[in-house]
Amino acid sequence: MSDIKHLAVIMDGNRRFAKRLMLDPTKGHEYGSKKLEQLFEWCKEFNIKELTLYAFSMQNFNRPKQEFDYLMNLFKENFTKFGDDPRIEKEGIKINVIGRYHLFPKEVSTIIDKIMEKTKKNSNFIINFAMAYGGREEILDAVKKIVADNKTPEDITEEYFSSNLYISSEPDIIIRTGGEKRTSNFLPWQSIYSEWFFLDKTWPEFEKEDFINIIEEFKKRERRFGR
Ligand code: FPP
């Protein structure tokens, strides 16, 4: 067992994985989404209650049209599958999407709205998909909400500010696969005390052994929260 409540992942390297196998880059995303199903199982096994996944950044809107369309279709298929999966209700899984996903084509955002509505009361396992997500955008959206609510400077405590973000829960661990050592606009507010793990392996290559090694290493690191 672990005392990890919230794990987050920047799933990077899908296209490089595919290219190495001489496959179309979109195939990498297909392998990446399959890997997610394994990750859900590992989290269950280790009693991790919340998972936040960086699935599509604001910058990803600049991807070639063919890849963008492929990803939209993959999201549509996956969210439809979740909607039809009896395990979602049986196991009390909440599917949450954080980001400006209303910028996606209507047929994708509608499916997202539906699954979020359907699972919003579940709380055994929370999966946050960061989509059309950017950390600065999240902060700006919070500021806009606060201004629209006519709040005064005295109202704006850390707690209040944080409750206006897409999520306020803070990850214990953030994993980035794919070799880059950057945080790339992912959860800037929520990650200040997170333990970061950077792996050279691409996301589709991420295995249970890597997951377990990270958990073991996390337990060894002493988290002092600035004390
Ligand atoms: C980054 O790798 C990955 C993405 C932009 C897409 C991630 C999406 C998935 C894993 C599918 C998620 C499925 C659901 C249900 C939301 P990259 O394309 O930047 O790879 P590269 O670094 O090799 O170019």
Side-chain angles (χ1 to χ4, degrees), residues 67-78 107-108:
E67 186 184 349
F68 177 83
D69 291 346
Y70 180 89
L71 279 170
M72 291 304 117
N73 205 40
L74 184 71
F75 295 160
K76 213 163 62 181
E77 273 176 16
N78 274 285
E107 75 262 28
V108 181

Side-chain angles (χ1 to χ4, degrees), residues 150-199:
N150 286 320
K151 294 294 171 189
T152 61
E154 296 73 50
D155 296 325
I156 304 170
T157 59
E158 264 191 34
E159 209 179 6
Y160 178 72
F161 188 82
S162 158
S163 71
N164 281 279
L165 293 167
Y166 305 148
I167 53 166
S168 48
S169 163
E170 304 185 8
D172 301 294
I173 292 177
I174 304 180
I175 301 169
R176 180 176 188 147
T177 60
E180 311 289 355
K181 293 182 178 60
R182 286 192 291 272
T183 60
S184 298
N185 209 11
F186 187 52
L187 304 176
W189 177 278
Q190 299 89 339
S191 66
I192 58 166
Y193 292 122
S194 305
E195 294 286 339
W196 286 81
F197 291 84
F198 296 97
L199 267 75

Side-chain angles (χ1 to χ4, degrees), residues 11-17 29 32-33 36 54-56 60 63 67 71 74-75 78-79 82 129 131 203:
M11 307 176 288
D12 201 12
N14 287 351
R15 293 185 301 185
R16 275 169 285 159
F17 171 79
H29 298 313
S33 71
L36 272 183
Y54 208 175
F56 194 94
N60 289 153
R63 293 272 165 115
E67 186 184 349
L71 279 170
L74 184 71
F75 295 160
N78 274 285
F79 284 107
F82 294 147
F129 288 95
M131 304 180 96
W203 172 243

Side-chain angles (χ1 to χ4, degrees), residues 207-222:
E207 289 301 339
K208 188 172 183 183
E209 190 190 352
D210 304 305
F211 178 83
I212 292 174
N213 286 344
I214 287 172
I215 289 179
E216 290 304 319
E217 170 67 23
F218 172 82
K219 287 187 196 155
K220 279 191 229 142
R221 292 188 191 176
E222 195 190 353

Side-chain angles (χ1 to χ4, degrees), residues 3 8 12 58 66 95 132 136 147 172 188-189 222-223 225:
D3 51 3
D12 201 12
M58 286 302 286
Q66 188 243 359
I95 307 267
R136 286 191 178 175
V147 171
D172 301 294
W189 177 278
E222 195 190 353
R223 297 173 84 204
F225 299 98

Side-chain angles (χ1 to χ4, degrees), residues 13-212:
N14 287 351
R15 293 185 301 185
R16 275 169 285 159
F17 171 79
K19 273 182 210 153
R20 250 187 264 141
L21 294 177
M22 313 279 274
L23 298 169
D24 189 80
T26 53
K27 270 275 167 204
H29 298 313
E30 188 186 319
Y31 279 97
S33 71
K34 295 227 169 79
K35 183 58 66 178
L36 272 183
E37 288 165 30
Q38 291 179 275
L39 180 68
F40 298 156
E41 291 305 314
W42 304 336
C43 286
K44 208 159 69 180
E45 191 181 322
F46 282 79
N47 204 27
I48 292 170
K49 296 289 188 195
E50 186 164 5
L51 186 60
T52 301
L53 300 158
Y54 208 175
F56 194 94
S57 70
M58 286 302 286
Q59 288 67 36
N60 289 153
F61 278 105
N62 301 319
R63 293 272 165 115
K65 180 168 176 352
Q66 188 243 359
E67 186 184 349
F68 177 83
D69 291 346
Y70 180 89
L71 279 170
M72 291 304 117
N73 205 40
L74 184 71
F75 295 160
K76 213 163 62 181
E77 273 176 16
N78 274 285
F79 284 107
T80 307
K81 206 168 71 188
F82 294 147
D84 296 337
D85 192 333
R87 288 174 304 179
I88 298 279
E89 281 315 305
K90 198 164 143 252
E91 296 176 19
I93 301 170
K94 176 174 174 171
I95 307 267
N96 192 27
V97 175
I98 58 168
R100 295 177 178 173
Y101 67 91
H102 286 106
L103 298 174
F104 286 165
K106 186 105 182 80
E107 75 262 28
V108 181
S109 64
T110 307
I111 292 176
I112 293 177
D113 283 333
K114 253 193 223 155
I115 187 87
M116 281 173 62
E117 180 59 31
K118 188 172 170 197
T119 64
K120 70 177 180 200
K121 294 208 176 77
N122 296 344
S123 60
N124 287 351
F125 181 43
I126 301 167
I127 309 173
N128 305 302
F129 288 95
M131 304 180 96
Y133 177 86
R136 286 191 178 175
E137 287 79 357
E138 179 180 29
I139 290 171
L140 287 178
D141 286 349
V143 171
K144 286 180 196 165
K145 213 154 43 145
I146 291 167
V147 171
D149 287 345
N150 286 320
K151 294 294 171 189
T152 61
E154 296 73 50
D155 296 325
I156 304 170
T157 59
E158 264 191 34
E159 209 179 6
Y160 178 72
F161 188 82
S162 158
S163 71
N164 281 279
L165 293 167
Y166 305 148
I167 53 166
S168 48
S169 163
E170 304 185 8
D172 301 294
I173 292 177
I174 304 180
I175 301 169
R176 180 176 188 147
T177 60
E180 311 289 355
K181 293 182 178 60
R182 286 192 291 272
T183 60
S184 298
N185 209 11
F186 187 52
L187 304 176
W189 177 278
Q190 299 89 339
S191 66
I192 58 166
Y193 292 122
S194 305
E195 294 286 339
W196 286 81
F197 291 84
F198 296 97
L199 267 75
D200 286 334
K201 278 189 177 181
T202 62
W203 172 243
E205 293 171 307
F206 186 75
E207 289 301 339
K208 188 172 183 183
E209 190 190 352
D210 304 305
F211 178 83
I212 292 174

